[in-house]
């Protein structure tokens, strides 16, 4: 297996390993991309309209919004802007299991990562997170719902952490909030130390375009804006985002597909006797136990790519399946039942 820029090459197959939108994106986005001519592609992007329209879509003040090249860039820029070198180094509190970019970005800035193990059945460890906060803490991550478990974080837990972390920024990553049906964005305005992270990769299907957003008080965003590349979004991404925001039918359709896909996958996992966790996102974490390697390799051999999480000490023996378009999920269900058998 080769790696290019850190991403493993699993070969061709149905991509259910990266939580992409398996339905693609809005036709309006495709039309916007196809409309480019040579002069348009040769021009630097103008972000003003995109920022105003995204702010209106999110119902936030434009001064509280920055657009990023995917939310991954947002995490990196927040680390660069907030984690100033110091002696002793700053702390970053990360409830586990977690999105790897939180950890690598923090360590890349010389920060100490304070990993907080999950509660039973991946319940959010709010008391342990608060206990981990010290005067050295500069960032606290809350991934809601969590990736890779899909387990949601109670709003009360986020309120408690925001009140406790008075000397830190609480980064609430809401990459999968569309599938959960609620978010913390409105409540975040009451806290000067809360930063909300969003992506248009999942529900809107713009993973290949790379569009993310961060919403926070202007003073929180100031050090992030300072280190942000001048033209971090390309012209195609800007127009694709604007087009996606105008389509009021694509996302609701996809939400319905994801909900039905999860129902079918849960039923199949019950039939084959595999443990899983009910998910508030567009994926399901499955406990393959001592069969995980056989299952993951067997799924890939049958043309269904799934994410092996079994080497993560916080979810040993587990793998993750994206739930998107029902037709795609059914192919995964068929492969899973062929591998594990039906009682």
């Amino acid at each position: 297996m080769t790696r290019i820029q850190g991403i493993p090459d699993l070969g061709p197959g149905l991509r259910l390993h990266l939580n992409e939108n398996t339905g693609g994106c809005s036709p309006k986005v495709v039309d916007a991309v196809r409309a480019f001519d040579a002069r348009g592609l040769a021009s630097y992007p103008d972000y003003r309209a995109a920022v105003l329209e995204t702010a209106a879509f999110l119902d936030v003040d434009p001064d509280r919004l920055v657009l990023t090249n995917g939310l991954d860039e947002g995490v990196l820029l927040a680390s660069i802007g907030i984690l100033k070198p110091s002696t002793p180094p700053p702390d970053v509190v990360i409830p586990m299991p977690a999105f790897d970019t939180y950890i690598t970005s923090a360590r890349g800035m010389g920060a100490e990562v304070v990993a907080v193990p999950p509660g039973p059945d991946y319940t959010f460890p709010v008391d342990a997170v608060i206990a981990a906060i010290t005067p050295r803490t500069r960032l606290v991550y809350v991934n809601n719902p969590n990736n890779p478990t899909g387990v949601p974080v109670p709003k009360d837990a986020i309120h408690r952490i925001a009140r406790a972390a008075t000397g830190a920024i609480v980064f609430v990553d809401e990459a999968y909030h569309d599938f959960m049906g609620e978010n913390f964005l409105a409540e975040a305005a009451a806290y000067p130390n809360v930063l909300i992270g969003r992506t248009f990769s999942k529900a809107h299907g713009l993973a290949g375009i790379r569009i993310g957003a961060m919403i926070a008080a202007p003073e929180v965003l100031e050090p992030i804006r300072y280190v942000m590349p001048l033209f971090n979004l390309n012209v195609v991404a800007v127009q694709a985002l604007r087009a996606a925001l105008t389509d009021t039918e694509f996302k609701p359709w996809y939400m319905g597909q994801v909900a039905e896909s999860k129902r079918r996958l849960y039923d199949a996992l019950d039939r084959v006797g595999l443990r899983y966790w009910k998910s508030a996102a567009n994926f399901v974490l499955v406990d393959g136990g001592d069969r995980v390697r056989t299952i993951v390799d067997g799924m890939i051999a049958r043309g269904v790519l799934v994410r092996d999480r079994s080497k993560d000490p916080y979810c040993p023996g587990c793998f993750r399946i994206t739930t998107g378009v029902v037709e795609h999920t059914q192919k995964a269900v068929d492969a899973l039942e062929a591998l594990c058998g039906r009682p």
Side-chain angles (χ1 to χ4, degrees):
M1 182 182 298
T2 60
R3 282 181 174 266
I4 299 175
Q5 290 190 235
I7 304 297
D9 177 14
L10 299 181
L14 178 58
R15 297 169 61 93
L16 302 185
H17 62 311
L18 294 177
N19 301 338
E20 297 155 325
N21 187 316
T22 70
C25 63
S26 164
K28 293 187 177 183
V29 171
V30 178
D31 290 342
V33 172
R34 286 176 173 163
F36 272 91
D37 58 17
R39 184 172 181 177
L41 292 172
S43 303
Y44 287 115
D46 182 347
Y47 298 141
R48 178 173 175 78
V51 168
L52 293 175
E53 290 163 13
T54 306
F57 178 79
L58 297 173
D59 194 22
V60 299
D61 191 297
D63 289 342
R64 292 179 57 86
L65 172 71
V66 294
L67 298 177
T68 60
N69 190 339
L71 188 51
D72 311 59
E73 185 192 50
V75 172
L76 177 60
L77 291 174
S79 297
I80 296 171
I82 295 167
L83 300 176
K84 308 297 184 185
S86 63
T87 304
D91 285 348
V92 177
V93 176
I94 305 178
M96 306 300 284
F99 184 37
D100 291 340
T101 302
Y102 304 159
I103 300 168
T104 56
S105 295
R107 288 178 175 163
M109 291 303 297
E112 294 287 343
V113 171
V114 181
V116 180
D121 267 342
Y122 295 119
T123 54
F124 187 74
V126 57
D127 291 328
V129 169
I130 291 173
I133 297 170
T134 73
R136 288 173 52 185
T137 305
R138 293 295 173 265
L139 264 174
V140 181
Y141 282 100
V142 178
N143 190 191
N144 189 30
N146 177 268
N147 176 19
T149 69
V151 176
V153 179
K155 280 191 177 183
D156 180 65
I158 305 176
H159 282 288
R160 290 179 58 192
I161 292 169
R163 290 193 294 265
T166 55
I169 300 302
V170 180
F171 194 129
V172 183
D173 180 344
E174 295 188 336
Y176 299 94
H177 82 98
D178 293 289
F179 307 100
M180 186 168 62
E182 66 174 42
N183 57 70
F184 197 72
L185 183 58
E187 287 93 332
Y191 296 99
N193 62 331
V194 172
L195 184 156
I196 302 291
R198 292 286 180 86
T199 181
F200 292 89
S201 295
K202 311 304 180 182
H204 292 86
L206 301 184
I209 292 288
R210 312 305 301 135
I211 296 285
M214 293 190 291
I215 306 99
E219 55 269 28
V220 172
L221 295 179
E222 182 178 359
I224 296 171
R225 292 184 193 275
Y226 183 79
V227 298
M228 182 178 295
L230 181 59
F231 296 112
N232 64 325
L233 270 65
N234 65 65
V235 289
V236 178
V238 170
Q239 292 306 108
L241 171 61
R242 297 180 66 193
L245 298 180
T246 67
D247 193 332
T248 59
E249 298 179 358
F250 178 78
K251 190 175 80 167
W253 166 78
Y254 192 62
M255 296 297 99
Q257 292 285 301
V258 170
E260 173 62 15
S261 283
K262 286 194 288 189
R263 186 191 68 78
R264 291 194 186 195
L265 183 57
Y266 294 154
D267 288 347
L269 292 168
D270 287 336
R271 287 194 295 270
V272 301
L274 289 177
R275 184 187 183 203
Y276 60 92
W277 288 266
K278 288 287 183 74
S279 172
N282 68 331
F283 56 81
V284 176
L285 186 70
V286 183
D287 186 355
D290 57 7
R291 295 185 290 169
V292 65
R293 189 70 263 155
T294 300
I295 294 172
V296 169
D297 289 346
M299 295 284 281
I300 294 172
R302 286 165 172 77
V304 180
L305 307 183
V306 296
R307 182 67 179 270
D308 184 0
R309 299 286 311 202
S310 61
K311 294 181 181 179
D312 185 330
Y314 296 99
C315 43
C318 291
F319 64 98
R320 192 189 66 198
I321 306 178
T322 302
T323 48
V325 172
V326 172
E327 177 186 351
H328 301 153
T329 303
Q330 188 59 50
K331 183 175 180 180
V333 165
D334 294 343
L336 192 64
E337 291 187 331
L339 282 164
C340 299
R342 296 180 64 170

